[in-house]
Every structure is written in structure tokens, then in C-alpha cells.
Amino acid sequence: MTKLLLPLWLLFFSLSAQAFNAAFFYGTPFPQELRIYDAVIVEADQADFAQVPGNLQNKLYAYTSLGEVGPDKPYAGSVPAAAKMARNPAWASDVMDQTSPAWRAFFLDKIVAPLWQRGFRGIFVDTLDSYQLAASSPQAKAAQEAGMVETLRQMRERFPGIHIILNRGFEILPQVHDWVTAVAAESLFQGWNNATRSYVPVKEPDRQWLLGQLNRVKNGYHLPVIVIDYAAPNQRPLARELAQKIRTAGFIPWVSNPELDMVGVGAPEIQPRRILMLYNGKNNSDVIFSDLHRFAAMPIQYMGFIPEYHDLTGPLPDYQLAGQYAGIIVWSDGAPLNNPRLKPWLLKQINQGLRLAVVNEFGFSRSNENLRPFGLNIKSSVPASNVEIITQDAMVGFEHSALVQPDTLDIIDAGKGSTPILRLKVAGQITDVAAYMPWGGYVLSPYAAYEIPYQQGTRWIIDPFIFFKRALALPDMPAPDVTTSTGRRLLMAHMDGDGFASNAEFPGAPLASRVMLEKIFKKYTIPTAVSVIEGETAPWGVYPKKSAEMEQIAREIYRLPYVEIASHSYSHPFKWQLTSEEGSGEDYHLPIPGYKFDLNREIAGSVNYINQRLAPPGKSCRIFLWTGNSNPGADAIAKTDALGLLNMNGGETTITNSQPSLTFVAPLGVARDGHFQVYAPNQNENVYTKNWSSQFYGFRRVIETFKLTDTPRRLKPMDIYFHTYSASKPASLKALEEVYDWALKQPSHPVYPSDYIRRVMDFNHSVMAREDNDWLFYGDGQIDTLRINAKWGYPVINDSVAGYNDFNGDRYLDLVKSPVNRIALATETSEAPYLVDANGTLLNWRRQARQINMTFNSYVNLDFILDHADNCILSDEKGRIIRADSHIRQHYHYQTHAAGRATFRLNCSLAD
């Protein structure tokens, strides 16, 4: 038995993030990751804050300057001249007279009041010592200080409940400390000299003076103290060192650039999860058709990072990327782009500390003028005949050999400091077609993903997981996982309503929808989403004579307790974006008499129809399942969001034994103008039956897809996804039953499709941060699993992590529901009892002395496994003892015979 790192497993503890923390961000756009901080000081003039979102009202503090007005402020020209008493040449600003009633009225009426109206409930007050530039005598200084106190007093009186953070203000704190939330100060260890435009270390006497003031604030007034130090964006290690020094001194750190327009280093430090993905929009009218989206996005998401797409042919981001992005991927195909800004922009990002991974092309022509700044030297281009491999990294040959034959090869020298990934010899010369560089790495075409001739599919030559991780220097970060919950793979089912009106090839020619209800839905009682197409089932649709029977069947299906209701539109658009742009007709949607395409009718109208005519009391439609090509525009997705609907479908996960490539595994979905389309985890029977033209038993091959997306990596949950017409033929119905029977034999955690969709959305919103060598996970409460490589260590079992399960060399951590989960890793496993897996969601896991209280919610009869539960007794809420029905090593399996919410108590009597 392994030894616990802590003295006793009874020293079960809960670690929480620091009691108060803060960030400063004056740039735009506002990074949503900053919401994890208690206070975020922002530049309110940015367009992001025309109206403060309700969820940020208690966090955002608007920057205000009480002591000075700079020329960049929109109200600078309106400041009363009589209120100005000096100039600050270092910042080209006016110093304001705090004794001036005109200035006080202006500050409250023209600066604070509009901020309050826009939703700000916090104010950051800066330049509280600027009066010292003009007031020299003790009497003059005292008058200025009294004026500031009066302004703050009136502000509190006029805006009840306002929160105030002061920048320094040491002279007035004796009078105002009870009004203040926190105090900030700049430059304890390293500052910024605006006159010389340089970072400068703080002199020891100045630091000692400031330390005295800050400790007086902290210990005398018991206020949180925030210290802002400065470091260049490309000096992240130095920023971390400064932040740690500030924490050691007992203060709250924020280390950033002098513009305060980057995500700096705080406590905790945000780990960027977004990766900027640059694609060639000239060759791809829609990002979903780009190889960057089709091939690279899934590996990036698997590692826990979030793709953010940007078209190389458009304007490039002009804001500070450092601290917000974990790296940049350029995947450019075809002819070089005519974008003269691209090369200097990339070099600027590298200089700012961003790492770059280039696939196929840089986006500009391969010339020495273009490539030499990246450390590459191109000599010539030669015919690619008799190519030999000189050096090959272990990750080359992942799915296909590197011995492919382009027409020509450029002779490229990656130079000093590079590490070859693939070095070839051709025409007696050596060329580096792929290498890791000091700034990241590159793989030139066609050595990343090779398209096999005659439409035989695409194969990775390189291992994308290894290449992107090393090129971008991605950290060993726990990955939010949407495939697994409480240690088991998710299982769900959903049906698109196509074929509801079809007559099945069975005696009596019953409707396929009736066969589906009797043979599938009543037999397989797992969580399922079922949709209908209004234009098929409604009396005003294309099958009015069958409508009454179809609607009755739909009502019976929707009354089943394990079925959730979805819409599959009104007219089943075949090509969403083209239909929106070009019009109507049989080429675009079902031929409903007199109908002209209308997005509102498709989405809101079909949902209203279902809710009013089909849904039983207490249930309503909550999912919209995309139809046809499942490629909606941002306008369509926005309408589902506005209605509070979840959305799903699309993606092309069709990996099988005949096409066993990760290029056939789709990402989680695609973002469009701030809205997100969630892809179905895998495809339906239409794909496996040659578009429903033959081999109607073909859907059984989805089992191959399930297996290949489970090992060697778990990439997807199991989604039994089909159409109503699968019940119209004996072969397809039997295939569907085979799929259900196989899936139900696997260890799984059944969930509704809506649960999965929410998990995907949580993946996009959640934040990872680091503090004291631990990881902090801030989620929306949907994702309850983090995945780590088993080699990284074992989770400490605490109030954040209830246990773990190992699979594929990965370790799936079972999270406890909490606003923030702290993940501490140890080199050895704990001897404390822990949860291995369950087929229900863990709602609560609390330790009290020798007892663990746990609560689950399951959609099927609950069963779960505990480890190290020997010498323990499990009982339910009524005190009835539940005995393990099996025991393998330290794993104790408990089987219940009820679904729903259940609480258990584990009492243990281990010797100390």
C-alpha cells in the first residue's frame, strides 16, 4: 500500500483561492477570463463598457482620475478652466484644484454619474497625490486633502453602495479608510519611467518607504493592498518573479505592461487557453471548410485549449495578445497572400513573447527577404526526385509515411537554435521541411497532413498533439473534458425528425415514427432528445392526411420521462446560409405550399408549434437541432440564443476502420460572431448508408467510430444519433438495435444531449489559473471532469476533487461541484477513500471527521465504485447499509436500484 504524503488521510482539507484579488486592464476587447478576479479595474471609455453586463457589475471598477485630467479623456475640453492649478509635464495633463467646487461638481456630475448610469458600481480613484505638484505649504496641502475627502464623502452619499479603490491616497486614509474597499500602489520592485520609456528597478529607500505605507494600510486599517509592478510582455518569467515577491511581502500582485492593456500576472495567474488560429479565407469561403478547422482544432481542444479563428486576408488583431493567448497557429494553403502587414505582425507577436506554429505556408512567399527574420535561409528550389530522409523526429509518420512526393522542394536551412523535425536530402542538398525554432515551429506542405490521391482521405504525417504542444510550449495543464463525467464516458441519444411520415416496411405499413416509439424508445430508456419537423407533422405541412396520427405519436414520445424535446425546424432547410441569402424553393427546404423562408418561422415558430400542440404539461422544447448541411450563419445561431435554446448538429466525425484517421474527427463546434454552434459528437446513419441509398444495415459501423474515438485517446462521448427513418426498414432498425445493445454494455454515464451541449459551452467559458503550484478551475458548473496525463501525478483528495479514474494512460479527475476547484498533484496516491467512477453526476462530496457524505443524481439506476473503502460502511439516507456487490483490489462496486437524487454516508474506522 502506498504511503500518503500528508501525515494522515484524515487531514482532508479544502484549499480556496486568495480571499481578495484584483486585476487591471485598460485595453480592448475585454478578456472574459478576468471575471475570476474580485475586482477588475478597467478604462471605462472603452466601447466594451457602454453598458456593464449584470454579471460584472460587482466586479468592475471604472478608472477615474481625481487629481489630473489627461488630454486623451473625452471630457478634457469641458473641464472648468478655474479648476486647473498646474501642469504635469511627464503626462501632459492638467493638475486639478481639489478645493474647487466647480471641479468637485464636474467630477461627480460628468465623470462618476454617467459611469453609475452605465452600470458601474465600483470606482478606482487615481492621482490622489498630484496636488503635491502645486501645493507646497502645509496649509495648502491640508486644504487639497480636505477637498478630496469631501469629494469622496459626497460620492458615497450620492451613489449609495458604491465601492471605492484608491491608488495610494495615504494622506487621506485616516479620514476615508472606512469608505474604501482596497488600496493600490504602483512600483514596489520594478516600475516604469515614462520620460525615458524604460522599465526601472525601484530604489531601496523608495521601496522601504512604500513598504511602510502599505503595511500601515494592511495592518492598521485592515484593508486589502494591491501592488502594481511593471514588466515587458515578453518577460513573463520576470513578471511571475515580481508577483511572487509582492505576495511574499503580503500584498496582492498585478504585474503588467505600463499601458495595462494585457492580461498580466496576478494571484492567481490566468493560464491563457485561447489559441489564435489564422487561416486563408481566400481559399476557404467559410472557416469550417478550412483544414485548420477540420484538422487542427480537435487536437487543440483535446489538450484543453480554445481555437479562435481569424481570416488572414482581413485586418489582423491590433491589441495586445500577450497573456490572452497561449499561442498562434498559421495554417495557410495555396498561393501566397497579398497582405504586406502579415510578416511584420507575426514578428511583432514573436517579439511580444507569443509562440508561433506554422503549417504548410507562412502566408507569404518563401523568399530570403521574408524568411530570414524567422531564422530561415532558403537557397533554391529543386525537383523532388529520389528524396531521402536524413533526420526524422519520432512523431513523424504518425498516420502516414513522410515519403511523399511533391513536385519540387525548397532547400531551407533552419539555422542555429533549431531542432529538425524532418530533414530531407534531395539533389545532393539538405533541406529542413519541418523544425522547431526558438519562436515555435513549422511544418511545410505537404509534410503535415497528406491528402491521399483519388479522394481516399487525408492522413497526418506528423503527430499534431506533440507538434502543437512543443511548438507553442503549451503547459502540462489539466484539460476540461466534455467526454467523461465521474470517471465514465458519456452516453446519449438524439433523433432528427426526418421520416416521421414514412411508412415502414413492416406488416400493415405502420408509420416509421410509430415503429421507433414501440421498438426503440420504449425499449431503450436512456436520456434521449427527440425532434420533429413541423412541416412534416403539422396539418398545414406537406402530409396533412397523416398529421393527426403523427402528432399523436409525437405526444406519446414526448410524454416519456427520459425524452427531452427538440425542434428540427419548420421546413428543414438544406443549406442554411444559402437559404438565408438566396430565397426559397425545393432546392432549399421542404416544398411547403406558399412558404417563403423565414428564420423566425424556422426557429421560434417551430418551437412554439411543439410547445403548444405536442409538449405535455411541464415540458417544453429546449434544443434546436440543425438540419440539412447543418451550417447555420451567426444570425440563425443568435436566434436560438435569444430564445434560450441550446443548439446542436453538424461536424463530420466519421472515423472508421476504413478511414482510421484523426482528420475524420471533428472539433466541438464553431464560433460565429460571438455565438457558438455545437457539433454532434458523431454522425448519423445517413453517412453510413451512402446517404440512405444502400447498405441500410450500415449504421452498425458507428460502433467502429465509438471505439476509435475512445482509444488510444478518448476524443468523443458516445452519441446514438439517427433519424426517424431508421425505423422504416428491417435492416436499419436491426442495426440501430445493435448499436444500442453494444453501447449499453460499455461502462458509461448516460446524460441528455442538453447536458452535453452545456458542457461544451462550459468548455468555451471556463478559466484555468495557477497559484502556489496548484491549478484552479473556474467553470460554469457543467464540466465536472479534468483530464491529466497519469505521469503528472495523483490528485490530492479534498473538497475540490473527490477521486479519479485511469484510462488510456490518462487520469480523469472527479470534481466536486464548486465555483472554483483547486487541483493539487502529489507523487503518490492517497490512502483516503475516493470516488473512482459512477453513472450519475456527483452533486456533493463532503468530509467530516471519519465520514464522507456524497450525493449523486442519475438518470438510470445508480452504480458507483469507491477506492480504499475497506473498513468503511456505506449507508443511504435512511441508514440502510449498502454492501458492495464486487471487490477487486481496492475497488468496491456499489449497485443501487433507483435513479434520481440519492445521498450516501461512508463511515470509516481506520487506525490513525
Side-chain angles (χ1 to χ4, degrees):
M1 186 177 292
T2 56
K3 298 295 184 182
L4 182 66
L5 294 183
L6 298 176
L8 295 171
W9 72 267
L10 294 175
L11 295 179
F12 178 93
F13 58 93
S14 171
L15 294 171
S16 59
Q18 189 167 316
F20 186 85
N21 49 46
F24 288 73
F25 187 80
Y26 294 170
T28 187
F30 178 75
Q32 291 300 315
E33 296 90 335
L34 292 177
R35 73 183 187 278
I36 72 169
Y37 294 106
D38 298 312
V40 185
I41 295 85
V42 299
E43 177 52 75
D45 294 336
Q46 301 289 9
D48 302 312
F49 306 117
Q51 189 66 38
V52 176
N55 65 325
L56 293 177
Q57 278 193 349
N58 293 326
K59 289 180 176 286
L60 294 186
Y61 286 71
Y63 175 90
T64 64
S65 176
L66 181 58
E68 299 182 23
V69 174
D72 58 323
K73 293 299 177 182
Y75 50 78
S78 304
V79 174
K84 303 174 184 178
M85 68 175 186
R87 290 282 292 172
N88 183 349
W91 294 95
S93 57
D94 293 312
V95 178
M96 308 311 297
D97 182 1
Q98 302 303 318
T99 68
S100 168
W103 168 240
R104 182 173 301 119
F106 186 91
F107 182 77
L108 296 175
D109 294 343
K110 303 300 183 183
I111 299 176
V112 179
L115 295 173
W116 185 266
Q117 292 170 0
R118 284 158 52 192
F120 282 100
R121 295 298 177 261
I123 298 293
F124 178 78
V125 186
D126 194 13
T127 59
L128 294 174
D129 53 2
S130 297
Y131 68 92
Q132 297 180 22
L133 293 172
S136 56
S137 69
Q139 296 83 1
K141 291 181 179 180
Q144 293 293 316
E145 292 161 6
M148 289 189 289
V149 171
E150 178 60 19
T151 299
L152 295 179
R153 187 195 67 78
Q154 290 190 25
M155 182 165 66
R156 290 182 71 246
E157 182 178 277
R158 183 168 169 183
F159 308 103
I162 196 168
H163 300 286
I164 302 170
I165 295 179
L166 302 183
N167 189 7
R168 297 197 176 210
F170 304 129
E171 295 80 7
I172 64 173
L173 272 174
Q175 290 80 34
V176 304
H177 63 87
D178 286 339
W179 307 344
V180 174
T181 301
V183 173
E186 299 173 83
S187 307
L188 183 60
F189 294 99
Q190 179 162 286
W192 169 255
N193 187 319
N194 196 53
T196 61
R197 310 293 295 173
S198 62
Y199 297 92
V200 293
V202 175
K203 296 178 181 179
E204 189 61 25
D206 295 337
R207 177 162 48 252
Q208 291 303 322
W209 178 86
L210 183 55
L211 279 171
Q213 297 293 329
L214 298 181
N215 280 317
R216 189 174 299 113
V217 174
K218 176 185 173 185
N219 300 324
Y221 302 128
H222 306 291
L223 289 172
V225 174
I226 309 162
V227 171
I228 308 106
D229 267 21
Y230 297 103
N234 61 2
Q235 294 291 318
R236 200 74 176 180
L238 173 60
R240 293 192 183 103
E241 179 183 331
L242 292 170
Q244 186 56 47
K245 286 182 177 181
I246 294 168
R247 288 193 72 201
T248 301
F251 309 125
I252 301 161
W254 186 256
V255 183
S256 185
N257 61 344
E259 295 81 9
L260 292 173
D261 63 353
M262 63 175 281
V263 176
V265 176
E269 177 190 354
I270 289 173
Q271 167 60 51
R273 289 182 59 221
R274 288 182 287 158
I275 291 181
L276 193 61
M277 312 272 275
L278 305 179
Y279 70 100
N280 184 349
K282 183 177 180 180
N283 294 337
N284 302 280
S285 59
D286 191 318
V287 67
I288 70 166
F289 303 126
S290 69
D291 289 349
L292 177 67
H293 175 73
R294 295 168 58 219
F295 303 155
M298 183 277 291
I300 290 300
Q301 290 170 333
Y302 178 81
M303 292 186 284
F305 296 88
I306 303 169
E308 187 172 297
Y309 303 104
H310 195 87
D311 187 349
L312 281 168
T313 63
L316 297 166
D318 59 356
Y319 52 90
Q320 179 62 258
L321 304 185
Q324 293 195 48
Y325 292 87
I328 301 171
I329 297 176
V330 175
W331 190 312
S332 183
D333 301 298
L337 299 168
N338 184 25
N339 188 344
R341 301 181 184 88
L342 178 57
K343 184 180 75 172
W345 184 89
L346 289 175
L347 293 170
K348 175 184 176 182
Q349 304 314 317
I350 292 172
N351 185 58
Q352 294 289 318
L354 272 292
R355 291 182 66 85
L356 174 66
V358 175
V359 179
N360 286 355
E361 301 294 340
F362 281 79
F364 40 77
S365 62
R366 298 184 195 176
S367 67
N368 272 326
E369 179 184 359
N370 285 333
L371 295 184
R372 193 170 287 127
F374 296 89
L376 303 175
N377 181 41
I378 184 166
K379 299 177 181 178
S380 61
S381 181
V382 299
S385 59
N386 299 319
V387 177
E388 300 177 40
I389 296 176
I390 302 300
T391 302
Q392 177 175 296
D393 189 274
M395 63 111 173
V396 177
F398 180 60
E399 294 179 342
H400 194 283
S401 166
L403 289 174
V404 296
Q405 293 291 332
D407 294 332
T408 61
L409 277 173
D410 290 333
I411 304 302
I412 296 175
D413 180 4
K416 295 181 179 180
S418 67
T419 300
I421 295 173
L422 183 59
R423 176 171 288 169
L424 305 177
K425 184 176 182 180
V426 59
Q429 301 184 74
I430 303 299
T431 181
D432 294 319
V433 295
Y436 295 116
M437 303 295 290
W439 44 261
Y442 69 91
V443 182
L444 298 180
S445 176
Y447 295 99
Y450 179 65
E451 187 172 342
I452 303 173
Y454 308 111
Q455 297 182 338
Q456 294 300 304
T458 306
R459 300 289 187 272
W460 280 105
I461 293 177
I462 61 165
D463 184 331
F465 302 98
I466 294 177
F467 172 68
F468 290 130
K469 182 175 177 62
R470 180 168 174 182
L472 300 178
L474 300 177
D476 291 341
M477 179 189 75
D481 194 284
V482 302
T483 70
T484 303
S485 178
T486 50
R488 299 189 191 178
R489 191 181 189 187
L490 298 183
L491 169 65
M492 62 184 185
H494 82 280
M495 187 188 84
D496 289 350
D498 310 50
F500 222 83
S502 298
N503 290 101
E505 298 172 4
F506 293 101
L511 291 182
S513 47
R514 172 59 68 184
V515 177
M516 187 67 73
L517 169 60
E518 301 298 333
K519 298 294 186 180
I520 298 297
F521 294 144
K522 288 185 178 181
K523 179 180 179 182
Y524 300 105
T525 58
I526 65 170
T528 305
V530 176
S531 66
V532 296
I533 304 167
E534 180 186 350
E536 274 197 340
T537 59
W540 46 83
V542 292
Y543 303 106
K545 294 181 180 180
K546 295 182 178 181
S547 172
E549 184 180 2
M550 288 190 291
E551 289 192 331
Q552 177 57 31
I553 294 170
R555 294 185 190 106
E556 293 179 38
I557 293 173
Y558 288 154
R559 282 198 295 266
L560 296 174
Y562 43 86
V563 168
E564 66 179 356
I565 303 175
S567 169
H568 204 42
S569 81
Y570 173 63
S571 72
H572 194 282
F574 305 136
K575 300 176 182 179
W576 277 87
Q577 294 189 48
L578 287 178
T579 304
S580 297
E581 295 169 1
E582 297 181 9
S584 301
E586 293 188 15
D587 292 337
Y588 297 96
H589 52 71
L590 293 178
I592 300 173
Y595 175 63
K596 184 177 181 180
F597 179 80
D598 180 351
L599 264 182
N600 288 322
R601 185 68 186 85
E602 294 293 338
I603 299 172
S606 64
V607 169
N608 289 337
Y609 159 74
I610 291 170
N611 289 339
Q612 293 169 11
R613 292 181 65 94
L614 307 180
K619 292 176 77 170
S620 61
C621 180
R622 56 183 178 181
I623 302 177
F624 192 87
L625 298 173
W626 302 109
T627 64
N629 66 358
S630 295
N631 183 23
D635 54 349
I637 306 172
K639 289 190 180 297
T640 65
D641 290 345
L643 293 169
L645 296 171
L646 303 170
N647 79 87
M648 190 172 71
N649 275 356
E652 293 294 332
T653 295
T654 57
I655 184 172
T656 59
N657 292 339
S658 57
Q659 292 286 8
S661 170
L662 293 181
T663 61
F664 289 89
V665 181
L668 298 177
V670 62
R672 296 190 185 279
D673 296 342
H675 304 277
F676 195 83
Q677 175 190 354
V678 177
Y679 288 163
N682 47 264
Q683 291 307 293
N684 53 57
E685 79 281 54
N686 198 51
V687 173
Y688 298 87
T689 57
K690 297 185 177 180
N691 294 325
W692 199 244
S693 65
S694 64
Q695 300 177 1
F696 297 110
Y697 52 81
F699 190 47
R700 66 180 61 162
R701 295 197 66 190
V702 78
I703 296 173
E704 298 174 20
T705 304
F706 290 161
K707 291 178 178 179
L708 290 170
T709 53
D710 199 35
T711 58
R713 294 177 179 86
R714 180 171 291 166
L715 304 174
K716 297 289 181 181
M718 291 182 286
D719 179 18
I720 305 175
Y721 171 24
F722 52 95
H723 294 88
T724 318
Y725 53 67
S726 264
S728 67
K729 295 179 181 293
S732 55
L733 180 62
K734 180 175 176 53
L736 181 57
E737 291 172 329
E738 287 182 18
V739 172
Y740 267 100
D741 291 339
W742 182 90
L744 289 173
K745 291 177 182 177
Q746 313 308 309
S748 66
H749 181 146
V751 297
Y752 285 101
S754 59
D755 295 320
Y756 171 74
I757 296 169
R758 291 188 184 98
R759 280 173 162 85
V760 172
M761 300 304 290
D762 197 356
F763 178 92
N764 292 331
H765 298 155
S766 56
V767 179
M768 295 296 302
R770 298 215 70 171
E771 186 176 69
D772 297 330
N773 296 317
D774 296 342
W775 286 98
L776 301 178
F777 173 68
Y778 299 81
D780 295 339
Q782 303 301 321
I783 288 179
D784 55 11
T785 298
L786 295 178
R787 174 177 27 82
I788 65 172
N789 188 304
K791 296 178 181 179
W792 299 352
Y794 298 89
V796 175
I797 307 303
N798 52 36
D799 282 348
S800 282
V801 182
Y804 64 89
N805 194 13
D806 289 348
F807 183 71
N808 284 339
D810 287 323
R811 188 155 286 146
Y812 291 81
L813 311 187
D814 303 325
L815 302 185
V816 180
K817 293 287 186 181
S818 175
V820 55
N821 294 91
R822 181 179 285 265
I823 314 302
L825 298 179
T827 57
E828 297 183 359
T829 188
S830 169
E831 292 180 0
Y834 65 86
L835 176 67
V836 177
D837 63 25
N839 65 350
T841 301
L842 181 66
L843 301 179
N844 180 58
W845 176 276
R846 287 292 176 266
R847 187 60 167 277
Q848 296 174 346
R850 299 175 183 272
Q851 177 178 295
I852 299 175
N853 294 319
M854 64 192 84
T855 301
F856 297 92
N857 185 61
S858 62
Y859 298 130
V860 295
N861 290 348
L862 174 68
D863 73 89
F864 55 95
I865 296 175
L866 301 176
D867 197 284
H868 289 304
D870 42 345
N871 300 318
C872 300
I873 296 175
L874 184 73
S875 58
D876 63 14
E877 290 177 290
K878 296 182 179 180
R880 294 173 299 196
I881 294 176
I882 300 175
R883 303 189 184 280
D885 61 3
S886 66
H887 172 205
I888 302 175
R889 296 187 299 275
Q890 290 292 328
H891 282 31
Y892 292 80
H893 181 265
Y894 299 91
Q895 176 71 55
T896 73
H897 300 284
R901 186 184 179 102
T903 296
F904 302 91
R905 179 178 296 112
L906 188 72
N907 285 296
C908 302
S909 56
L910 286 174
D912 291 349

